[in-house]
Amino acid sequence: MSLPTLNERAQHLLKALVERYISEGVPVGSRTLSQATPFSLSAATIRGVMADLEDLGLIHSPHTSAGRVPTIQGYRLFINQLLTMRNLDTRQVDLLSGELLQARGSRQQLVETASQMLSQLTRFTGLVTLPRREHTRLTRIEFIPLSGQRVLAILVMDDGEVQNRVLPVTRGYSASELRQFGALLSKLLAGQEARRVRETLLAEMDKARSDLNELMREAILLTEQALGDTPPAPDLVISGQSNLVGLGDITNLARMKRLFEAFETKRDILHLLDQVERAEGVQIFIGGESGYDPLHEYSLVTAPYREQGRVVGYLGIIGPTRMPYDQVIPLVDITARLLGEALNPAGTPQES
């Protein structure tokens, strides 16, 4: 989007107008602006500047009153050139850090906590993509006998995640047999990337099918069952959808319904987040900038988070275009940093 160049007086008036509208949610008139500008300007002069800003497409009148509200282009110029970031409340940062620290050890719980905290602290909708798992490696497999011809399979990953699955089996296994299974499979598969474990199992069976003893064959089949029965974790965790209901800024109920349907399927939201995959730092989509119609009356503020120096996911919030960007942007940024720190082993440096 090409943004116009404004003189100092127009910048001050636009900044004051956007800030007042974000704060109060009602169209801003020239009399209100005259009290918010450092310049000694008459109401007539302010009306003239407002007319110029309207001609430039930065503000508009939502109805016949004299008040004006920012357009998407006005918000964009405000954010890019005029926004003054607010210092984060240390109590919020401490709360966020403490909650993530408590969730440390489980990637799923960390992501859920980050999403919930973003929603709680902004009172909008928080969303966090699950970390990519391309390079996660298996470190250990264990099997524990249960009652009723069932076996508990435990898969331990190098990132600390533990997956547990209860498997029905065709015969009872002793604890000794299952310990042997775990030792055999751990030796065979330890260090394998999680996404390639099944390939390794199938290749091992094809390569030496006739030479495999019965114990090894049963161990492989049991592990294949454990892997095949493990449902994929959700790719996106969304919290606080109901926070968007009843916002005075949102007037298109059909669009809101489509957004809530998108929250249910998650596919379109994930596709939208894919657009920022190669971007660094906080990214802001205002209204129609996202190209996604259900977000036409909303803004999306996102940031990447890292694990061991690599971007592995994105988080952010969805809220009305009339949101306090000076608070939301630094909060999204610090949440991404703290989530990355919680995912990283102690001493692993984080890239800025």
Side-chain angles (χ1 to χ4, degrees), residues 45 93 99 147 155 179 216 226 229:
T45 300
V93 177
E99 292 292 327
S147 61
L155 287 75
R179 279 197 298 271
M216 187 62 168
D229 196 37

Side-chain angles (χ1 to χ4, degrees), residues 194-213:
R195 60 177 178 164
R196 301 195 181 280
V197 165
R198 186 176 285 106
E199 297 173 18
T200 302
L201 288 173
L202 294 175
E204 190 71 20
M205 290 191 73
D206 289 340
K207 180 176 66 177
R209 185 178 297 273
S210 59
D211 298 328
L212 289 176
N213 60 43

Side-chain angles (χ1 to χ4, degrees), residues 105-108 133 136 155-163 233:
S106 166
R107 295 157 69 95
Q108 180 71 33
R133 307 278 324 266
T136 303
L155 287 75
V156 183
M157 306 300 174
D158 66 350
D159 60 6
E161 181 175 353
V162 178
Q163 298 180 12

Side-chain angles (χ1 to χ4, degrees), residues 181-193:
F181 286 1
L184 287 169
L185 271 299
S186 293
K187 183 176 180 181
L188 175 65
L189 300 174
Q192 291 279 336
E193 290 186 3

Side-chain angles (χ1 to χ4, degrees), residues 111-140:
V111 166
E112 291 175 356
T113 298
S115 179
Q116 291 164 4
M117 293 305 296
L118 282 168
S119 174
Q120 177 182 325
L121 294 175
T122 63
R123 298 184 181 178
F124 300 134
T125 298
L127 59 161
V128 185
T129 63
L130 215 66
R132 299 192 191 97
R133 307 278 324 266
E134 289 94 337
H135 304 291
T136 303
R137 297 180 184 275
L138 187 69
T139 61
R140 191 170 76 255

